[in-house]
Amino acid sequence: MTDSSGSIKPIVIGEHEVHVSWNPSKKRGRAYAGYLADLRPFGIKRVWASTLVKLEEEVRAAMAPLTGEADRLVLKRAALREYERARKMAAELGLELDEALQKLRTIKTMEAKAGCRVEEAFQFWVPHHNSAKHEVPVTELVSLFIKSRETAGNSIVDLRDLKTHLGWFAGKFTCPLAHVTADDYDEFFASFQVAPTTLKHYRGSVSRLVNWAKASRYVPDIYPGVPEYPSKAKRKRLRKPLLTMEDRDKMFVCSKEKEKPAALIAAYAPCRSCELDRAHFEDINWSNSTLTIYADDAKTGVTRFVYLVPKLMKLLEQYRGRAGKIYPHKSVSRMWPNLAERAGISWPKNGWRKAVLSYLLAFTQNEAGVAAQGGTSVKELRNTYVTTVDFSLGAEWFGLGASDYHPARPVCLQVGASSPQLSNPEQPGKCEMNILTLPVAYVAQR
């Protein structure tokens, strides 16, 4: 503030200038430097200080009400460096300094409430919410999905369709699957000028890919997937004829030695081919005539005990004492069409399972019990598997008589000359109601 002539420059605060003059003080005969700022033109008393720096600070503090918030604070040295560094860090985050402090305060409040630090939360989040898989492109995802289906033993026809349909999908979208929106799906499917039934098949293949990607965490949990679309396909369900006992016997005759145990169990027990793939001879309980389908082998993920009828146990007796897999090769489902071709019959899709469940329901007249034995629901049993057959055919298929035991059969079921009936214990011989009208019931004791 002082030039070479010794005059003192005024203090400038905003648009205001404050006149400063020398004003030394004397004490005990000695003179001490001092400066006086005249603030009377602004309605404020004069300010004195021993140095010009202190004088300017006091003048700015006194003038703050007149000049606003910007002139209240004077930073220098370390305080100024800290302020500039804080502003720079806030700017890197795209925030003003006060906004950054407010967010920090919110975070600290949440930390105190949760009892942990933000760093600890991220250390838990990263291994449990790996988002790196979300960036896998659709082309690579399709290859991984098809490879997983090949490993699972899907049919050649199914793999061929998946490769074709998903090849079109991968050709359209090269981005990560999580970036494909509902509008993108609609636009993709609208590009096909095909029959409604064919389009439904295409959508099904893409939906299988998306469901697998969600289960394998290649997309976030909140990803909506393929949007719902009311299909225009109207196709009458075709009920194909069941395998007959003649067909069954022909296949037994044509089966090789290594195929016979699996063929026998598939023809008499309501288990899936994929479950039979994983079953071992050790899973057969010879004392109570059951095959245990363990949870990790079952399609439904639930352990169940499948009853093996006496006729089947007699046929399997020659394999008693064996160990290892019942079917030694990779996929038993691939064996059935080849075996049927050798036997000279046409193989219906899922032929064994539909036949066994239909004949078993005819014999037991108990939908809930048959569904439990087959590891399915009553609704699925009705809609997918069952074809109506006579009681006599059901009994003949399993080699059972009218009064023979089966765990899925109600204990009160009696068979007359024509059809099963529910006996009335108070009036023997009188039919109380048809068994099909009974509520679900029934576990019989041997």
Side-chain angles (χ1 to χ4, degrees):
M1 288 185 183
T2 306
D3 59 21
S4 57
S5 63
S7 61
I8 302 175
K9 292 182 178 180
I11 299 175
V12 179
I13 302 176
E15 299 177 354
H16 307 293
E17 289 188 357
V18 178
H19 178 72
V20 180
S21 60
W22 294 95
N23 190 10
S25 63
K26 292 183 179 181
K27 189 175 181 181
R28 299 177 181 177
R30 295 183 62 181
Y32 296 92
Y35 305 90
L36 185 66
D38 188 7
L39 301 179
R40 288 177 296 179
F42 309 107
I44 304 172
K45 66 180 182 178
R46 294 182 295 178
V47 176
W48 183 92
S50 59
T51 64
L52 290 173
V53 174
K54 291 181 179 180
L55 182 68
E56 183 175 356
E57 291 178 356
E58 295 187 15
V59 168
R60 289 185 178 277
M63 292 284 289
L66 301 178
T67 57
E69 294 289 333
D71 293 322
R72 285 188 180 184
L73 181 64
V74 177
L75 298 177
K76 56 186 178 180
R77 299 184 183 87
L80 180 60
R81 289 194 296 271
E82 291 173 359
Y83 174 74
E84 293 297 335
R85 186 167 63 250
R87 285 194 61 185
K88 182 179 179 180
M89 288 189 291
E92 291 174 353
L93 299 174
L95 302 171
E96 294 294 335
L97 183 57
D98 61 333
E99 187 180 2
L101 288 172
Q102 290 173 11
K103 289 185 177 296
L104 178 61
R105 181 182 179 184
T106 302
I107 292 172
K108 290 298 182 183
T109 303
M110 293 173 65
E111 285 182 344
K113 186 179 295 186
C116 70
R117 295 179 294 110
V118 171
E119 293 86 348
E120 295 172 346
F122 277 113
Q123 288 173 1
F124 176 84
W125 176 272
V126 171
H128 292 83
H129 301 79
N130 184 8
S131 60
K133 296 176 72 174
H134 299 171
E135 300 303 318
V136 175
V138 171
T139 50
E140 184 177 346
L141 207 58
V142 168
S143 299
L144 293 171
F145 173 62
I146 292 177
K147 188 174 181 179
S148 72
R149 296 305 88 202
E150 290 174 345
T151 304
N154 287 32
S155 67
I156 297 174
V157 175
D158 184 51
L159 292 173
R160 180 199 64 195
D161 291 347
L162 286 176
K163 290 176 182 178
T164 302
H165 304 161
L166 298 180
W168 298 333
F169 187 72
K172 175 70 174 179
F173 303 103
T174 57
C175 59
L177 184 61
H179 296 178
V180 182
T181 65
D183 292 339
D184 293 332
Y185 284 115
D186 291 340
E187 182 181 350
F188 172 72
F189 291 121
S191 64
F192 294 100
Q193 302 299 319
V194 294
T197 302
T198 306
L199 183 60
K200 184 179 180 180
H201 196 186
Y202 295 172
R203 293 179 68 92
S205 297
V206 176
S207 295
R208 288 171 62 186
L209 169 69
V210 174
N211 293 337
W212 174 84
K214 292 182 73 173
S216 304
R217 296 185 294 279
Y218 282 101
V219 290
D221 294 338
I222 60 173
Y223 184 67
V226 180
E228 293 290 335
Y229 180 77
S231 175
K232 298 179 181 179
K234 294 182 179 179
R235 183 180 60 180
K236 188 176 181 180
R237 183 184 293 273
L238 298 177
R239 185 69 66 182
K240 295 184 178 180
L242 296 174
L243 290 172
T244 64
M245 284 180 287
E246 291 76 11
D247 296 334
R248 179 192 67 187
D249 295 339
K250 287 179 182 179
M251 292 182 69
F252 286 165
V253 171
C254 296
S255 61
K256 301 175 184 178
E257 182 58 31
K258 63 183 179 182
E259 299 171 340
K260 281 186 178 179
L264 288 170
I265 293 175
Y268 286 99
C271 58
R272 297 178 176 86
S273 293
C274 63
E275 296 168 344
L276 191 55
D277 268 335
R278 308 172 189 125
H280 290 66
F281 283 103
E282 294 90 334
D283 299 334
I284 299 175
N285 190 325
W286 298 92
S287 62
N288 63 5
S289 303
T290 58
L291 172 66
T292 305
I293 306 294
Y294 290 100
D296 52 349
D297 294 334
K299 179 181 178 181
T300 56
V302 178
T303 299
R304 73 180 191 277
F305 304 95
V306 178
Y307 179 69
L308 307 182
V309 296
K311 182 178 179 180
L312 175 59
M313 294 298 293
K314 184 176 180 180
L315 293 170
L316 291 175
E317 183 66 32
Q318 58 184 313
Y319 305 107
R320 189 167 185 169
R322 281 197 184 183
K325 292 183 64 177
I326 293 175
Y327 183 68
H329 299 304
K330 184 175 181 180
S331 176
V332 70
S333 62
R334 297 178 183 178
M335 177 183 73
W336 306 136
N338 297 332
L339 183 56
E341 186 177 357
R342 274 183 261 150
I345 64 175
S346 176
W347 179 252
K349 183 179 179 181
N350 226 357
W352 287 133
R353 185 162 172 80
K354 289 182 178 179
V356 171
L357 289 173
S358 295
Y359 289 122
L360 186 59
L361 182 60
F363 176 73
T364 63
Q365 297 290 298
N366 181 10
E367 289 181 333
V370 173
Q373 282 280 300
T376 186
S377 64
V378 172
K379 180 180 179 181
E380 190 69 15
L381 182 72
R382 293 172 178 171
N383 295 344
T384 305
Y385 297 117
V386 172
T387 298
T388 302
V389 293
D390 291 338
F391 167 81
S392 59
L393 289 177
E396 189 177 357
W397 179 276
F398 296 104
L400 297 171
S403 59
D404 285 341
Y405 164 81
H406 194 284
R409 201 175 188 209
V411 293
C412 52
L413 186 65
Q414 292 184 352
V415 180
S418 58
S419 63
Q421 294 178 337
L422 182 67
S423 64
N424 188 335
E426 296 181 357
Q427 302 181 34
K430 184 177 181 181
C431 175
E432 188 176 87
M433 64 172 66
N434 190 291
I435 191 65
L436 293 177
T437 64
L438 282 174
V440 184
Y442 321 132
V443 177
Q445 300 294 330
R446 184 184 289 272

